[in-house]
Amino acid sequence: MSKLTLTVVDTTGIQDYVFSSNRLRENIGASYLVSQATKEWAEKALLDLAKELNQKVHIPKRNSLQEIHIGNEDVAAEIVYAGGGNTVLLFTSFEYAKRFTQILTTRVLQNAPGLNIVVAHDKEFELDKGGFKKKLTQLLEKELAKKKRERVASVPLLGLGVTAACRSTQFPAVNTSEKYIDADEEDIYLISRESESKLKAVPKANQRLIEKFAGTFNSDLYDFPSRTDYLGRSEGESSYVAIVHADGNGMGNRFQECGKGKSDREAIVEMRQLSQSVEDAGVNALRKVLEIVHNSIENGELVGYLGRFSLKIAKNGKYYLPFRPLVYGGDDVIFVCEGRIGLELAAIYLKEFEKQKDIEYQPLNLTARAGICVVKTHYPFARAYQIVEDLYGAAKKLIYEERKRLYKDKEYYCSTLDWHFAASGLIGSIGEIRQREYEVPSGNMMMRPIRLKEHDSDDNQWRTWANFISAVQHFNGYFDDVEDNEKWKDRRNKIIALREVLRQGADKTKQFMTTYGIKQLPPFPQIDNLQQEGWGEQNEKYYCGYFDAIEAMDFYMGLKGDNNEQV
C-alpha cells in the first residue's frame, strides 16, 4: 500500500472557551460547539471533501467499528476514531488532508469564533507495517504538543471608533441578547460574535441533550434548565449551585496500551472499541444520575410533602430539573445542579462509572476523580470553575499518594473526590483557603479528599465516602435506633459548638463531651481515639474526622434510587 497521511485534530483552551462567561446559557452553547468541532463538524468536513473529490470516505459507526476501508481505490479518507477531545484520521493524500483541514477550520471560524483547534499531520505513514501506534504517539505527544506551544494566539481587534463591549467577553459588541434569552425574565445585554455563536447553539444543545437522555426522565413534564436560577433554589432558604467535574483515571495510558503488540488494523479496531466504550460509560453513568434525580422528585424526596425544593416552571408549563450536564460524551464530564445534591450526585456518578462495561459486555474496570464546588447561585461561574479544577487536582493527587503508600508506585487507580463549600465567597486559591481555615495547631481539620470505596489491605480506611456520609447522617439524626443519636437530633446549636471546640484539639473536645454527657461521637472505623476525642492519628499525622461532616450538614441531601433504596 502507498503511503498515507495520519492526521490528528485537537482543541485547545477548552476550559477558557466554555467557562469564560458567568452565564449558564453561554456555557451550554460553548460546550455544544466544542463537541461539534471534533466530531460532527469533522464528519461533515470529511463528507464535503468526498463530494469535492467524487470519492468515498469511511466514517465508522457502532455497527462498523471493525471495518477499515482506507486503501480501497475509491476511498479517500477514513476516521480512525473520535474521542477524548480529539479526532484521528487517515488520508490517501497529504493534499486531501490539507483540504479537509481548510474545510473544518473554516466552519469553526464561521460558527464558533474564539474556539481554537490544532491539527498535526504525518505524511509518511504506511498501513500494515506495524507502525500505527508509534506514529500516533509521536503525533499526539510531540507534534501536536509542539504546535500548541508554538501557536500564535490571535489578538482580537478590540474596536475602532465608537463601540460598546460585550458583557461576557469584553470584545466589541455586534448585537444584543434579546432574541436568544427570556427577555421578560433576564436583563438584555450586549454580546460579541463569540457570545452570539454560543447563544445561537443553545437550542441545538438542548435538543441533543433531550435526545441523548430520552427515556431516562419524563420529557413531557420536565426540562433541563438554562439558568442557574432554575436549578431548584428555595427562596429565602437555600440558593446554592454545585459545579461538578469528573474525569476518568489513567485514560491516556489506557489508550496508549490499547492495541499494543498487535497489527495496525487490530490496533485501530481496538482503539475504536475503547473510544466507543468510554463514551458509552460516561453517558450511561450520567443517565443513572438523571434517573435518580427524576425518581427522587417523583417520590417526594426533593419536592412535595418535604417542600425542600421549589422547581421553577418554564413558559411551556414544564418543570425545570435541578440538574444539567454541560460536558459529556466521554470520561470527561461536567455538570451543574442544585447545591444541596452536588456531593450526592458526584458520588453516584463515580459509583455508576465504575460499573460500566465495554461494548462486548466485559468490565471496563474504570475509576474517576471528581471536584465539587458549591457556591451562591449568582457567584461568578468562571471563578467557581477554577476552584473545581483545583479540587479535581487534589483528588487526583490523592490517587498518587495512595499508589506510593500501598503499591510502591506500581500502577494503581481508585475513585476519589474533593469538595469545597463557598458559603460566603472565595478569597484566594484553594490551597490558601485550606491553610488559612483548616490547618490548626492540633493538625488537619479535614478528612478530604477521600476515596469512594475502602481498600481491603489498607489501614487508612476511615477516609472514605461511606464514613463521611455516616457521620453527616448521624449529626442530622437519620438513625433513630442508634444509642447516642438523640443527643444530636434537633440539637443544631450543640453541633455548631462542637465544630468550634474541635478546632481547639482533642483535650478541649473531651471536656466538651464530658460536660454534655456524650459518650462518643459518630462511629469511625480504623482510627484510634476518634470517637472519644474527635481527633485521631494516621500515618504519623493528626486528623479531625468530624469537621467536614458538620460543615456538610446543610449542603448534603441523600437521594434514593430504584426501589426507594439509599444509593
Side-chain angles (χ1 to χ4, degrees):
M1 180 183 292
S2 59
K3 292 183 179 180
L4 304 175
T5 295
L6 180 61
T7 299
V8 178
V9 181
D10 198 5
T11 51
T12 182
I14 295 176
Q15 281 75 18
D16 290 340
Y17 182 75
V18 174
F19 298 105
S20 61
S21 171
N22 291 323
R23 292 175 173 81
L24 180 58
R25 195 185 299 270
E26 291 186 24
N27 304 142
I28 292 167
S31 176
Y32 174 77
L33 293 175
V34 169
S35 68
Q36 292 289 102
T38 55
K39 193 166 179 62
E40 282 82 359
W41 289 353
E43 292 178 359
K44 288 180 180 178
L46 210 57
L47 293 173
D48 290 343
L49 176 66
K51 189 175 181 180
E52 281 187 16
L53 300 175
N54 195 26
Q55 295 189 50
K56 295 179 181 178
V57 295
H58 180 220
I59 301 173
K61 302 300 181 184
R62 185 182 294 271
N63 60 355
S64 64
L65 297 178
Q66 295 184 340
E67 299 177 12
I68 298 175
H69 294 189
I70 195 77
N72 297 345
E73 290 184 2
D74 57 346
V75 177
E78 177 163 2
I79 291 180
V80 175
Y81 75 91
N86 54 54
T87 304
V88 180
L89 310 96
L90 285 172
F91 295 90
T92 57
S93 164
F94 179 56
E95 295 303 317
Y96 295 169
K98 286 202 304 182
R99 181 58 186 145
F100 162 82
T101 304
Q102 292 170 352
I103 296 171
L104 176 60
T105 53
T106 298
R107 180 172 277 115
V108 171
L109 287 170
Q110 290 175 339
N111 296 299
L115 177 61
N116 297 305
I117 64 172
V118 180
V119 183
H121 307 282
D122 187 313
K123 298 182 284 185
E124 301 296 323
F125 175 68
E126 293 183 77
L127 191 63
D128 299 324
K129 294 287 186 175
F132 171 73
K133 288 291 297 181
K134 183 178 180 180
K135 291 281 189 180
L136 181 58
T137 300
Q138 288 176 343
L139 271 182
L140 290 171
E141 296 183 356
K142 294 183 180 180
E143 295 301 320
L144 205 63
K146 180 181 178 182
K147 288 205 169 189
K148 287 183 178 181
R149 291 194 302 269
E150 295 178 349
R151 186 182 64 86
V152 178
S154 61
V155 180
L157 187 64
L158 296 180
L160 296 172
V162 180
T163 61
C166 167
R167 195 180 297 178
S168 296
T169 65
Q170 303 306 310
F171 295 158
V174 299
N175 205 339
T176 71
S177 63
E178 184 173 7
K179 64 180 180 180
Y180 303 111
I181 64 173
D182 300 321
D184 56 336
E185 296 183 5
E186 302 177 59
D187 293 334
I188 298 171
Y189 59 96
L190 295 170
I191 56 175
S192 62
R193 280 190 67 241
E194 180 177 323
S195 293
E196 185 172 32
S197 67
K198 295 175 181 178
L199 293 173
K200 280 182 179 179
V202 171
K204 291 181 179 179
N206 289 338
Q207 185 60 36
R208 173 180 175 239
L209 192 61
I210 292 171
E211 292 173 356
K212 183 70 74 173
F213 295 93
T216 309
F217 68 106
N218 185 350
S219 58
D220 293 330
L221 187 58
Y222 301 103
D223 204 351
F224 290 103
S226 55
R227 295 182 62 194
T228 53
D229 278 333
Y230 297 167
L231 281 169
R233 61 189 293 192
S234 299
E235 297 290 346
E237 179 184 348
S238 180
S239 181
Y240 292 93
V241 58
I243 306 166
V244 179
H245 183 185
D247 196 6
N249 293 323
M251 295 309 300
N253 292 338
R254 187 178 287 238
F255 271 94
Q256 284 184 354
E257 293 298 317
C258 185
K260 199 170 184 178
K262 298 186 177 181
S263 70
D264 289 344
R265 293 177 184 270
E266 289 174 330
I268 289 173
V269 170
E270 200 168 294
M271 293 187 78
R272 284 177 178 172
Q273 291 176 331
L274 177 59
S275 179
Q276 184 65 60
S277 297
V278 171
E279 180 175 345
D280 291 344
V283 171
N284 289 339
L286 274 179
R287 287 176 68 90
K288 187 63 178 180
V289 172
L290 178 55
E291 178 186 325
I292 290 174
V293 171
H294 176 264
N295 291 347
S296 297
I297 294 172
E298 293 289 292
N299 66 28
E301 283 185 279
L302 298 182
V303 295
Y305 71 94
L306 290 177
R308 291 179 172 182
F309 274 41
S310 300
L311 297 185
K312 180 76 174 180
I313 302 177
K315 289 182 179 179
N316 58 13
K318 296 181 182 181
Y319 291 94
Y320 284 118
L321 292 163
F323 166 76
R324 167 105 198 192
L326 277 179
V327 176
Y328 56 95
D331 65 302
D332 197 0
V333 166
I334 301 173
F335 62 83
V336 293
C337 60
E338 208 278 345
R340 290 167 290 179
I341 57 176
L343 283 180
E344 179 79 339
L345 296 191
I348 291 171
Y349 175 82
L350 294 179
K351 291 176 184 177
E352 293 300 321
F353 190 69
E354 287 190 352
K355 295 178 184 178
Q356 297 305 308
K357 298 182 178 181
D358 64 20
I359 59 176
E360 296 177 349
Y361 304 102
Q362 298 300 312
L364 276 168
N365 300 317
L366 295 172
T367 61
R369 66 270 189 189
I372 307 102
C373 186
V374 181
V375 295
K376 285 284 190 179
T377 299
H378 292 153
Y379 188 84
F381 200 92
R383 169 67 176 133
Y385 181 75
Q386 291 175 357
I387 294 296
V388 171
E389 289 296 277
D390 291 340
L391 295 167
Y392 159 91
K396 183 178 181 179
K397 182 179 178 182
L398 176 62
I399 298 172
Y400 291 101
E401 291 175 352
E402 297 284 88
R403 176 187 297 173
K404 183 176 181 179
R405 186 172 60 85
L406 296 171
Y407 292 94
K408 308 303 180 185
D409 290 328
K410 293 181 180 179
E411 186 170 343
Y412 162 77
Y413 295 104
C414 62
S415 291
T416 57
L417 62 162
D418 198 357
W419 64 89
H420 183 72
F421 304 122
S424 57
L426 295 162
I427 301 176
S429 67
I430 195 66
E432 293 169 339
I433 292 171
R434 289 185 166 177
Q435 185 176 15
R436 181 176 66 242
E437 299 182 12
Y438 298 98
E439 293 287 342
V440 296
S442 297
N444 192 339
M445 297 294 295
M446 302 187 306
M447 63 183 294
R448 56 190 140 135
I450 62 175
R451 287 200 309 257
L452 182 68
K453 296 179 180 178
E454 296 179 353
H455 191 278
D456 294 339
S457 62
D458 188 15
D459 61 353
N460 197 22
Q461 297 279 29
W462 71 283
R463 290 178 66 182
T464 64
W465 173 256
N467 286 339
F468 165 70
I469 291 306
S470 174
V472 175
Q473 292 174 335
H474 274 84
F475 283 129
N476 273 324
Y478 281 18
F479 307 112
D480 292 332
D481 57 341
V482 177
E483 179 183 355
D484 278 343
N485 187 63
E486 289 301 319
K487 290 183 172 64
W488 303 115
K489 191 174 183 180
D490 300 323
R491 302 286 183 88
R492 183 56 61 95
N493 290 338
K494 183 167 66 175
I495 296 172
I496 298 302
L498 171 64
R499 182 180 66 181
E500 297 309 311
V501 169
L502 286 169
R503 285 186 174 276
Q504 302 173 43
D507 291 340
K508 292 292 184 181
T509 303
K510 284 192 292 185
Q511 293 177 18
F512 178 87
M513 293 172 65
T514 300
T515 300
Y516 284 94
I518 302 170
K519 297 178 182 178
Q520 60 183 19
L521 296 171
F524 256 111
Q526 289 87 34
I527 184 166
D528 296 334
N529 302 324
L530 196 62
Q531 288 181 260
Q532 290 74 36
E533 302 176 357
W535 285 82
E537 182 182 1
Q538 279 288 322
N539 301 317
E540 300 181 350
K541 295 181 180 180
Y542 284 89
Y543 295 92
C544 174
Y546 299 101
F547 194 87
D548 282 345
I550 295 173
E551 190 179 54
M553 288 176 62
D554 292 329
F555 295 99
Y556 172 76
M557 185 181 295
L559 302 181
K560 296 176 181 178
D562 297 335
N563 302 319
N564 215 35
E565 295 178 357
Q566 185 72 40
V567 176

